[in-house]
Amino acid sequence: MIRDGRSCDAPAWCGNHHRVSLLEISVAVGESGPVLSVSGEADVTTVAELSEALTAQLADGTRHLRVDLSGLRFADSSAIRALVLAGRTLKQRGGALELANPQPVVARALSLLGVDQAITIRGGASAGTDPER
């Protein structure tokens, strides 16, 4: 598409003409299994992408999955639910889900929803060190 004489190569310039994902996901090999790195924002508009990435790892028979949340700026309840469901599946297999390095706002949401009681959370800001508490 061309607007004002410029081509529409940059999705940010074109506004809503292109779908721009606010969520980026990559997979790497970790010591005890795959590491899913999630960055950006995980909410109702991007939860399908997160669910697909988690399901792909679970479909491979993974028993231990680490999700690096260090780049995740925001997670709503739908995204957190996807993580909890993956954690339940792994637990049923005798494995575990580990959430690593959540930013303070995400760590607080995980704590408020009680996720830290069911899933191991390592690094990042813990609810006990949150300056707002």
Side-chain angles (χ1 to χ4, degrees), residues 9 12 14 19 45 60 63 65-66 73 79 85 99 101 103 105 109 113 119 124:
D9 295 289
C14 291
R19 182 175 181 273
T45 65
D60 285 344
R63 289 185 54 215
L65 177 62
R66 181 177 184 170
R73 296 182 306 270
L85 292 174
L99 304 178
N101 308 312
Q103 292 189 20
V105 69
L113 293 170
I119 296 175

Short mmCIF file of all heavy atoms in Angstrom, two decimals, residues 9 12 14 19 45 60 63 65-66 73 79 85 99 101 103 105 109 113 119 124:
data_model
loop_
_atom_site.label_atom_id
_atom_site.label_comp_id
_atom_site.label_asym_id
_atom_site.label_seq_id
_atom_site.Cartn_x
_atom_site.Cartn_y
_atom_site.Cartn_z
N ASP A 9 6.01 -0.19 4.11
CA ASP A 9 6.90 -1.24 4.59
C ASP A 9 6.95 -1.31 6.10
O ASP A 9 7.17 -2.36 6.68
CB ASP A 9 8.32 -1.02 4.07
CG ASP A 9 8.38 -1.15 2.57
OD1 ASP A 9 8.25 -2.29 2.08
OD2 ASP A 9 8.54 -0.12 1.91
N ALA A 12 4.47 0.13 11.78
CA ALA A 12 4.18 1.20 12.74
C ALA A 12 3.68 2.45 12.03
O ALA A 12 2.81 3.15 12.52
CB ALA A 12 5.42 1.52 13.57
N CYS A 14 2.04 2.55 9.20
CA CYS A 14 0.74 2.31 8.59
C CYS A 14 -0.39 2.16 9.60
O CYS A 14 -1.54 2.06 9.20
CB CYS A 14 0.80 1.06 7.73
SG CYS A 14 1.80 1.28 6.28
N ARG A 19 -1.13 -6.34 11.00
CA ARG A 19 -1.17 -6.85 12.36
C ARG A 19 0.26 -6.87 12.89
O ARG A 19 1.14 -7.48 12.31
CB ARG A 19 -1.75 -8.26 12.39
CG ARG A 19 -1.86 -8.78 13.78
CD ARG A 19 -2.56 -10.14 13.77
NE ARG A 19 -2.69 -10.61 15.10
CZ ARG A 19 -1.76 -11.32 15.73
NH1 ARG A 19 -0.64 -11.64 15.12
NH2 ARG A 19 -1.96 -11.74 16.97
N THR A 45 -5.13 -10.51 23.28
CA THR A 45 -4.87 -10.41 21.84
C THR A 45 -3.69 -11.26 21.38
O THR A 45 -3.57 -11.52 20.19
CB THR A 45 -4.63 -8.95 21.40
OG1 THR A 45 -3.43 -8.46 22.02
CG2 THR A 45 -5.81 -8.07 21.77
N ASP A 60 5.97 -32.13 22.01
CA ASP A 60 7.24 -32.83 21.80
C ASP A 60 7.58 -33.76 22.96
O ASP A 60 8.64 -34.37 22.97
CB ASP A 60 8.39 -31.83 21.60
CG ASP A 60 8.37 -31.19 20.23
OD1 ASP A 60 7.68 -31.72 19.34
OD2 ASP A 60 9.07 -30.17 20.05
N ARG A 63 9.16 -32.62 29.47
CA ARG A 63 8.74 -32.80 30.86
C ARG A 63 9.17 -31.61 31.72
O ARG A 63 8.58 -31.36 32.75
CB ARG A 63 9.31 -34.08 31.43
CG ARG A 63 8.64 -35.31 30.81
CD ARG A 63 9.08 -36.60 31.43
NE ARG A 63 8.90 -36.59 32.87
CZ ARG A 63 9.73 -37.18 33.72
NH1 ARG A 63 10.77 -37.82 33.29
NH2 ARG A 63 9.49 -37.13 35.02
N LEU A 65 10.14 -27.53 31.38
CA LEU A 65 10.13 -26.35 30.51
C LEU A 65 10.40 -25.12 31.35
O LEU A 65 9.78 -24.92 32.40
CB LEU A 65 8.77 -26.21 29.81
CG LEU A 65 8.57 -24.99 28.91
CD1 LEU A 65 9.55 -25.00 27.73
CD2 LEU A 65 7.14 -24.96 28.39
N ARG A 66 11.33 -24.32 30.89
CA ARG A 66 11.62 -23.05 31.55
C ARG A 66 11.11 -21.94 30.63
O ARG A 66 11.36 -21.96 29.43
CB ARG A 66 13.12 -22.89 31.76
CG ARG A 66 13.47 -21.61 32.44
CD ARG A 66 14.95 -21.51 32.72
NE ARG A 66 15.18 -20.29 33.46
CZ ARG A 66 16.30 -19.98 34.02
NH1 ARG A 66 17.34 -20.79 33.94
NH2 ARG A 66 16.42 -18.85 34.67
N ARG A 73 6.78 -7.40 29.55
CA ARG A 73 6.42 -6.17 30.27
C ARG A 73 5.05 -6.26 30.92
O ARG A 73 4.76 -5.54 31.87
CB ARG A 73 6.42 -4.98 29.30
CG ARG A 73 7.77 -4.66 28.72
CD ARG A 73 7.71 -3.45 27.80
NE ARG A 73 6.71 -3.55 26.74
CZ ARG A 73 6.93 -4.07 25.53
NH1 ARG A 73 8.12 -4.53 25.23
NH2 ARG A 73 5.99 -4.11 24.62
N ALA A 79 -3.10 -14.83 29.68
CA ALA A 79 -1.73 -15.30 29.45
C ALA A 79 -1.25 -16.12 30.65
O ALA A 79 -0.62 -17.17 30.48
CB ALA A 79 -0.80 -14.12 29.21
N LEU A 85 -1.92 -23.70 32.83
CA LEU A 85 -2.35 -24.94 32.17
C LEU A 85 -1.15 -25.76 31.69
O LEU A 85 -1.13 -27.00 31.82
CB LEU A 85 -3.30 -24.64 31.01
CG LEU A 85 -4.66 -24.08 31.42
CD1 LEU A 85 -5.47 -23.69 30.18
CD2 LEU A 85 -5.43 -25.08 32.27
N LEU A 99 9.14 -20.61 35.79
CA LEU A 99 9.07 -19.25 35.26
C LEU A 99 10.29 -18.50 35.79
O LEU A 99 10.55 -18.51 36.99
CB LEU A 99 7.78 -18.57 35.69
CG LEU A 99 6.49 -19.30 35.32
CD1 LEU A 99 5.27 -18.55 35.84
CD2 LEU A 99 6.39 -19.50 33.81
N ASN A 101 12.81 -14.99 35.96
CA ASN A 101 13.12 -13.56 35.81
C ASN A 101 11.96 -12.65 35.42
O ASN A 101 12.11 -11.79 34.55
CB ASN A 101 14.26 -13.38 34.81
CG ASN A 101 15.45 -14.24 35.15
OD1 ASN A 101 15.90 -14.26 36.29
ND2 ASN A 101 15.96 -14.95 34.18
N GLN A 103 9.59 -9.52 35.31
CA GLN A 103 9.69 -8.11 35.67
C GLN A 103 8.73 -7.85 36.83
O GLN A 103 7.78 -8.61 37.04
CB GLN A 103 9.37 -7.23 34.47
CG GLN A 103 10.43 -7.32 33.40
CD GLN A 103 10.22 -6.29 32.30
OE1 GLN A 103 9.55 -5.29 32.46
NE2 GLN A 103 10.83 -6.55 31.15
N VAL A 105 6.10 -5.98 37.53
CA VAL A 105 4.65 -5.97 37.31
C VAL A 105 4.12 -7.37 37.03
O VAL A 105 3.04 -7.75 37.50
CB VAL A 105 4.24 -4.97 36.20
CG1 VAL A 105 4.69 -5.42 34.84
CG2 VAL A 105 2.75 -4.73 36.22
N ALA A 109 1.62 -9.76 39.48
CA ALA A 109 0.41 -10.42 38.97
C ALA A 109 0.45 -11.91 39.29
O ALA A 109 -0.55 -12.48 39.73
CB ALA A 109 0.27 -10.19 37.46
N LEU A 113 -2.25 -13.72 41.90
CA LEU A 113 -3.10 -14.81 41.41
C LEU A 113 -2.73 -16.16 42.03
O LEU A 113 -3.34 -17.18 41.73
CB LEU A 113 -3.04 -14.89 39.89
CG LEU A 113 -3.68 -13.69 39.17
CD1 LEU A 113 -3.37 -13.73 37.69
CD2 LEU A 113 -5.18 -13.65 39.42
N ILE A 119 3.68 -22.96 40.80
CA ILE A 119 4.74 -23.02 39.80
C ILE A 119 5.98 -22.35 40.37
O ILE A 119 5.88 -21.27 40.98
CB ILE A 119 4.30 -22.33 38.49
CG1 ILE A 119 3.12 -23.07 37.87
CG2 ILE A 119 5.46 -22.25 37.50
CD1 ILE A 119 2.54 -22.40 36.64
N GLY A 124 14.27 -12.41 39.15
CA GLY A 124 13.35 -11.29 38.99
C GLY A 124 12.90 -10.74 40.32
O GLY A 124 13.48 -11.03 41.36
#
